[in-house]
Amino acid sequence: GALVYQYPRRTICKSGTSMRMECQAVGFQATSVAWYRQSPQKTFELIALSTVNSAIKYEQNFTQEKFPISHPNLSFSSMTVLNAYLEDRGLYLCGAREGRNERLFFGHGTKLSVL
Amino acid sequence: QQKVQQSPESLIVPEGGMASLNCTSSDRNVDYFWWYRQHSGKSPKMLMSIFSNGEKEEGRFTVHLNKASLHTSLHIRDSQPSDSALYLCAAAPSGGNYKPTFGKGTSLVVHP
């Protein structure tokens, strides 16, 4: 079956430090990977959409300088939160799209806490 | 501006009752809709997807889509306490403009 592994599941970092999270698609080819942040208030924000053979598209309020993403192949994507502060807290989710159909699979998410 | 609007924000139904959740997109390019369920402390799990007009049923869950109005609804019959969760609607256009966008969700509580 199709699975998306995301790690770490949770992390705590000091204010001003950085942390990297990884997303791996297993059992299918992820033609695009969407990174989201779910705030403590449960609102979903799309950070960026990474599509194979295309540039990574960042949404308003999110930049490559703050959230650099690497998507080297069809099964792996990573995102780093640079200089994390309190407002970066939340659950970061990667959603991988299978081929060209409508299915979008999520990893378990990485819960980021900032001290 | 929220492109995917969900209503109601919260819903309480008795066990065995019917829960009806709504979702509308303001993006005319949308082709795909998904419904996800997120239990507290967990990541969202896809319940159903729909991209054709009409109705789709899987077990106790039924999804309707009206592409003309870009409105989809999720109906849960014989609701169970285990159905209590945040229900999220997502929408995306197809092709090169693919970008799944989520609504704020409907919090469903099914009380015994």
Side-chain angles (χ1 to χ4, degrees), chain B residues 6-8 11 13 16-23 34-37 47-48 50 54-66 71-80 83 87-89 106 108 110:
Chain B
Q6 287 188 247
S7 64
L11 181 63
V13 300
M18 171 75 83
S20 294
L21 295 72
N22 298 292
C23 173
W34 299 266
W35 283 96
Y36 287 84
R37 178 166 70 182
L47 284 173
M48 296 176 74
I50 188 165
E55 178 181 298
K56 189 174 176 181
E57 182 178 332
E58 289 183 8
R60 298 184 293 112
F61 299 89
T62 302
V63 170
H64 294 270
L65 175 61
N66 181 327
H71 177 261
T72 179
S73 57
L74 172 69
H75 305 273
I76 307 172
R77 60 177 172 82
D78 189 24
S79 297
Q80 302 298 309
D83 294 326
Y87 287 79
L88 295 154
C89 172
T106 293
L108 173 66
V110 180

Side-chain angles (χ1 to χ4, degrees), chain A residues 9-10 32 34 36 38 41-44 46 49 51 57 59 91 93 96-97 100-109, chain B residues 2 32 34 36 38 40-46 49-51 56 86 88 94-104:
Chain A
R9 293 286 290 271
R10 52 182 59 87
S32 63
Y36 295 87
Q38 189 177 35
Q41 294 74 35
K42 302 300 182 187
T43 304
F44 258 83
L46 177 64
L49 184 66
T51 303
K57 297 179 183 177
E59 289 296 292
L91 179 69
L93 288 161
R97 181 189 184 191
R100 298 191 65 80
N101 66 26
E102 74 278 12
R103 294 200 296 177
L104 185 65
F105 298 97
F106 281 98
H108 285 292
Chain B
Q2 189 71 22
Y32 298 136
W34 299 266
Y36 287 84
Q38 185 179 25
S40 181
K42 306 288 185 182
S43 64
K45 294 288 190 296
M46 191 175 79
S49 59
I50 188 165
F51 56 93
K56 189 174 176 181
L86 180 68
L88 295 154
S94 59
N97 294 319
Y98 177 86
K99 184 173 76 175
T101 304
F102 283 81
K104 292 186 176 181

Side-chain angles (χ1 to χ4, degrees), chain A:
Chain A
L3 292 171
V4 174
Y5 287 106
Q6 189 175 347
Y7 37 88
R9 293 286 290 271
R10 52 182 59 87
T11 185
I12 302 172
C13 66
K14 289 184 178 180
S15 182
T17 63
S18 303
M19 67 83 53
R20 179 170 180 257
M21 57 194 80
E22 299 180 344
C23 179
Q24 185 170 7
V26 178
F28 69 102
Q29 292 187 328
T31 53
S32 63
V33 173
W35 285 95
Y36 295 87
R37 179 173 67 195
Q38 189 177 35
S39 67
Q41 294 74 35
K42 302 300 182 187
T43 304
F44 258 83
E45 298 175 279
L46 177 64
I47 297 170
L49 184 66
S50 172
T51 303
V52 174
N53 299 324
S54 296
I56 298 170
K57 297 179 183 177
Y58 285 84
E59 289 296 292
Q60 194 173 14
N61 301 325
F62 297 97
T63 64
Q64 183 180 9
E65 289 71 30
K66 172 72 174 177
F67 300 95
I69 291 171
S70 172
H71 190 179
N73 56 53
L74 289 170
S75 63
F76 183 84
S77 178
S78 67
M79 184 177 76
T80 302
V81 180
L82 294 175
N83 299 319
Y85 289 100
L86 283 176
E87 59 265 28
D88 297 318
R89 292 173 303 168
L91 179 69
Y92 287 82
L93 288 161
C94 73
R97 181 189 184 191
E98 180 186 10
R100 298 191 65 80
N101 66 26
E102 74 278 12
R103 294 200 296 177
L104 185 65
F105 298 97
F106 281 98
H108 285 292
T110 296
K111 185 175 180 180
L112 173 62
S113 300
V114 181
L115 301 178

